[in-house]
Amino acid sequence: MSGQAKIEPRDRLIVALDLPSVADAERLTWRLGDAVTFYKIGYQLGYAGGLDFARELVASGKKVFLDLKLHDIGNTVGKGVESIVKLGASFLTVHAYPQTMQAALDARRGSPLKVLAVTILTSYNDADVAAAGYQGHVADQVKRKSAQARDLGIDGIVCSAEESAMLRPLIGPNFLLVTPGIRPAGAASGDQKRIMTPQAAIAAGSDYLVVGRPVTEAAEPKAVAEAIVADITAAAK
Ligand code: C5P
């Protein structure tokens, strides 16, 4: 462990339901059963009935991370966040722009919803950031935007495990680092360029691990999820 919050190992695993339909999501969550307590719903399932499914997951006792990466004028973000609070989500992503973050924080006040910021998308390198009109290296931008998000009162960020290792000592223990790009030893990397095993990511300072295809495409998804939880447990000791 590297100075992060105290969370049960099983609750640190967030399975990304990157699936085309609610029927597929129902099948997978049924197969995973008690092995998984936390699910992420993003664009693909969200725009295919996934928000109603999110309500069902919450009603059945699961936690839901809505990875909607909101960014709009403050009024629109705030109204959207009010609806998301009513839905019962535990985590929500917004882009790390000050107005957007502040509007989300104002709208969730008094609720258990945690707001996570997306600093620089992990598919962006220095050239992509320059092409988008911003100056400076990705790592510097990530550090600056993370500190800005923390100072505004944002609960954490989505970042690679490499970024967790860089940020954890700078940002303190109470800022959540939520990390995709996780691959159990021997799993296919897919299109992820910077991958780490669950154990290494926890050791690097990540609080929550987001895992999609290694679980969703597995022949035995429950066994893979249990193996990831075991790996997290080993790192958390
Ligand atoms: O299938 P895989 O494990 O690569 O899925 C990772 C999940 O994390 C996907 O839902 C992806 O959208 C999300 N994610 C990511 N990189 C980011 C932010 C989110 O891979 N920077």
Side-chain angles (χ1 to χ4, degrees):
M1 294 287 290
S2 186
Q4 57 268 60
K6 296 218 178 319
I7 305 160
E8 282 298 309
R10 187 175 303 281
D11 297 336
R12 291 179 184 274
L13 169 63
I14 303 176
V15 170
L17 292 174
D18 295 328
L19 298 166
S21 72
V22 170
D24 288 304
E26 279 171 345
R27 231 181 335 265
L28 180 66
T29 53
W30 185 81
R31 289 186 73 185
L32 290 169
D34 293 340
V36 174
T37 60
F38 211 153
Y39 287 102
K40 181 169 91 74
I41 293 177
Y43 290 176
Q44 186 184 19
L45 187 63
Y47 291 128
L51 299 182
D52 287 330
F53 185 62
R55 282 190 192 87
E56 285 177 31
L57 284 173
V58 171
S60 73
K62 302 296 183 189
K63 291 172 81 179
V64 172
F65 170 6
L66 288 184
D67 189 11
L68 300 178
K69 298 188 176 70
L70 300 186
H71 185 42
D72 206 315
I73 60 170
N75 183 62
T76 302
V77 170
K79 298 294 181 201
V81 172
E82 285 173 16
S83 296
I84 287 164
V85 165
K86 285 191 197 133
L87 186 151
S90 295
F91 286 3
L92 167 72
T93 43
V94 304
H95 280 282
Y97 287 79
Q99 280 187 15
T100 293
M101 293 191 285
Q102 191 62 58
L105 291 173
D106 290 345
R108 76 86 195 259
R109 190 154 291 135
S111 85
L113 177 70
K114 293 201 186 302
V115 180
L116 306 176
V118 176
T119 58
I120 305 288
L121 292 164
T122 50
S123 56
Y124 276 52
N125 61 21
D126 287 346
D128 296 313
V129 167
Y134 299 99
Q135 287 174 343
H137 296 295
V138 168
D140 296 332
Q141 295 268 7
V142 169
K143 281 187 217 164
R144 185 183 62 76
K145 282 173 161 274
S146 300
Q148 185 179 51
R150 181 200 55 195
D151 293 346
L152 274 175
I154 288 285
D155 299 290
I157 57 165
V158 178
C159 65
S160 72
E162 285 168 22
E163 288 167 349
S164 291
M166 169 182 84
L167 290 169
R168 181 56 77 198
L170 303 175
I171 211 98
N174 297 322
F175 195 65
L176 298 175
L177 301 177
V178 179
T179 298
I182 299 298
R183 292 293 178 267
S189 58
D191 58 354
Q192 295 283 11
K193 294 188 181 126
R194 286 173 288 159
I195 58 171
M196 258 193 217
T197 63
Q199 194 161 359
I202 295 290
S206 297
D207 295 291
Y208 289 90
L209 308 183
V210 176
V211 185
R213 288 161 290 181
V215 171
T216 61
E217 295 181 355
E220 297 293 343
K222 188 168 186 174
V224 174
E226 290 290 6
I228 293 170
V229 172
D231 212 9
I232 294 172
T233 306
K237 279 187 179 146

